[in-house]
Every structure is written in C-alpha cells, then in structure tokens.
Amino acid sequence: MHVTPSPSFVRHGPIEPVSPVVVSVPHAGRDYPLALRSAIRVPLTALRVLEDRYADLLALEACRTETLFVAQRPRAWIDLNRAEHERDPRLDDGAANLGQPLSAKLRSGLGLVPRRAGNSGDIWQHRLSDDDVRARIIVDHHPYHAAIAEALAAARARFGVALLLDVHSMPPLGPADRSPRLVLGDRFGKSAGARFLGRIEAVARAHGMAAAANAPYSGGHILDRHADPRGGIHAIQLEFDRTLYLDAALDGPGAGLPATAALLRAIIDAVADEALPGAVAAE
C-alpha cells in the first residue's frame, strides 16, 4: 500500500482509486507540536478531551484498498472540521475583521482553533496573532481539504460516484442498552443520498448496534465543504461511542477495537456496494 507523509496528515491507499469510498479521520491527531506545548496553560493531557481518541486505529484496521486520510496534528492545534472563517474573537486577533456570525460551537470555545478544553477551561496562555492562525490554515487546513477534494474527484471520475466516510468518536450518550452507540450524520439529508444512510442503518442492525441519524451530530464543515450529491459526491459522518473500542478509562485501545473495526469494514463494504452494485462481491 502506498503511504504519502505530510506535515499535517498521512494518506493511505493506492495512487489511483480502486474504490468509490474515501475515508477521513480528522480529529485523532496526537502529534502535539512544540509551539503548542509551550503556549498552553493546561496540562497536555487535558487536551485529550478534544481528540477522537484512537479513532485512527479503527480506520487503519478497517480499511483495505480505500483512500484513507488520517490527520496528524491534534484538534487543539486546528480543527479540520471547522470552516476557515470560524475564528474565535475571544482568542484570535484575526477574527474581528471577518464579519461572520458566531455559531453555537464557536461561542462555546470550539472554533477553528479551540479556546477551551472541556472542564479544564481556557487552553492558551495568550491570545493568538492573525499570522499564527493563518499559518495553521495554510500549513495544516488547506492541504488536508485539498487532498480530500482531489481523492473524491478521482473516485468520481473513475466510478461516476464517490462517497466520503468521515470517522469520529463520541462520549457515551447514555446507558448502552437505551442509547445510540453509532450516530450517522448527513446534514439532514443534504450531504448524501438516503440510500447510503439506509445501507449503513441496515449494517448497524445486523451487528446489533443501536444507531441514530443526525442527533445529536449531523456532521460539520467536512461534509458541507466536500459533499455534492447532485454531482455524484456523497458524504456521511460516523460517530462511534468510545466505549465500543477504548479501555475502561477511555484512554487507550480496548478489547472491543477489532469488533468495532469489523463494523466499520462492513459499513465500507455496504456503501461501496450501494455505489457500485456487485463490486464488493467481485473483488
């Protein structure tokens, strides 16, 4: 398998697509740069609450020949699932001139560069300069999205259709026997054809997995930016309950990792078959 390194992400998979499915893991990065470590006021471990902890291991174990993008930079450094204009005026000197309304996420401190980390409070010792944030956008944000767009365009050119699976993890939504453990987001039908969500829901049922659609997570900037269902590019966000694959402390890989990766593999196969009927069986 071809592996191409980048300062902000790693691309796995062949140069030319052999599947209409592209997989993205934007929030599992654990490469905390020195510039971050020297500028924060909280312990480094406090930033783990922002990670989709080890969601990259799920995707790496599940994927075979699909194009897979795994972000290396942590979400605390820059959030690849936020638009470039979602800059926090309470943190970022360059935010004041953008003239954009503040989203609920941004008001809560979860903008392009997160201001807060859960109950640990403010992350940064000082405000960030416009130049600092622009550099993160140019070095980390732009290349990730450009690479995804290129991969989706290549898949659509070869197969006539492409589907992005954006892999995330979530804290438990409630008791395991009464709460969804997989949340599917398609921006309330705007980012993908209903047939793809239906296939994923069928896979979840077959695995005995309670799933929900768009509540409480409907997808973010990655879906908004890359989905074009009318143009043959679909995108769905997958939120896996962390208790499915992490240890009891929700800090390291757990005994459920192989089974959860198998679930993701089954989802990939199902949407690939929906895109190209019979293609999986013919492999």
Side-chain angles (χ1 to χ4, degrees):
M1 179 177 287
H2 180 81
V3 178
T4 303
S6 161
S8 59
F9 65 91
V10 175
R11 180 193 188 279
H12 300 262
I15 297 297
E16 297 296 329
V18 297
S19 168
V21 179
V22 175
V23 182
S24 163
V25 188
H27 283 167
R30 297 182 293 278
D31 177 14
Y32 287 85
L34 178 60
L36 178 148
R37 287 182 275 134
S38 62
I40 58 176
R41 65 170 70 224
V42 298
L44 195 62
T45 54
L47 302 184
R48 290 180 184 174
V49 69
L50 296 172
E51 294 179 14
D52 286 340
R53 191 77 170 155
Y54 290 112
D56 53 321
L57 298 188
L58 282 179
L60 286 166
E61 186 163 334
C63 288
R64 295 172 186 161
T65 57
E66 293 78 22
T67 302
L68 165 64
F69 295 97
V70 178
Q72 302 297 286
R73 293 284 187 267
R75 184 182 178 188
W77 179 251
I78 189 166
D79 190 337
L80 300 172
N81 203 26
R82 295 285 180 268
E84 293 172 33
H85 68 261
E86 293 185 86
R87 296 172 61 171
D88 191 336
R90 296 179 62 183
L91 172 68
D92 176 353
D93 287 340
N97 300 322
L98 297 178
Q100 297 283 345
L102 302 185
S103 66
K105 291 284 189 182
L106 188 50
R107 291 195 301 271
S108 69
L110 295 176
L112 180 67
V113 177
R115 172 170 47 85
R116 297 180 60 81
N119 295 327
S120 297
D122 289 348
I123 295 171
W124 305 96
Q125 297 179 35
H126 308 289
R127 292 181 61 84
L128 303 180
S129 71
D130 182 37
D131 287 346
D132 183 0
V133 176
R134 285 181 182 273
R136 299 184 197 189
I137 292 171
I138 291 169
V139 172
D140 298 314
H141 199 274
H142 283 176
Y144 192 78
H145 286 281
I148 289 176
E150 182 181 9
L152 289 169
R156 180 181 56 184
R158 179 166 185 183
F159 303 107
V161 63
L163 187 130
L164 176 66
L165 293 177
D166 198 39
V167 177
H168 297 254
S169 70
M170 63 183 183
L173 298 177
D177 60 341
R178 298 195 300 275
S179 305
R181 308 193 75 190
L182 173 64
V183 175
L184 317 175
D186 67 353
R187 304 300 283 163
F188 298 96
K190 295 179 181 178
S191 70
R195 60 195 179 101
F196 290 107
L197 207 70
R199 287 295 295 267
I200 298 174
E201 289 172 333
V203 170
R205 287 194 298 271
H207 282 73
M209 187 67 58
N214 294 304
Y217 307 106
S218 65
H221 174 64
I222 289 174
L223 269 56
D224 287 340
R225 180 163 179 165
H226 295 287
D228 178 17
R230 290 186 178 182
I233 297 179
H234 305 261
I236 293 173
Q237 179 174 288
L238 304 175
E239 291 270 3
F240 290 91
D241 184 330
R242 291 171 192 155
T243 62
L244 290 172
Y245 70 93
L246 292 180
D247 60 18
L250 301 183
D251 187 56
L257 178 63
T260 311
L263 170 61
L264 177 55
R265 180 67 241 172
I267 290 171
I268 293 170
D269 286 340
V271 296
D273 180 67
E274 187 62 37
L276 303 172
V280 174
E283 288 182 354

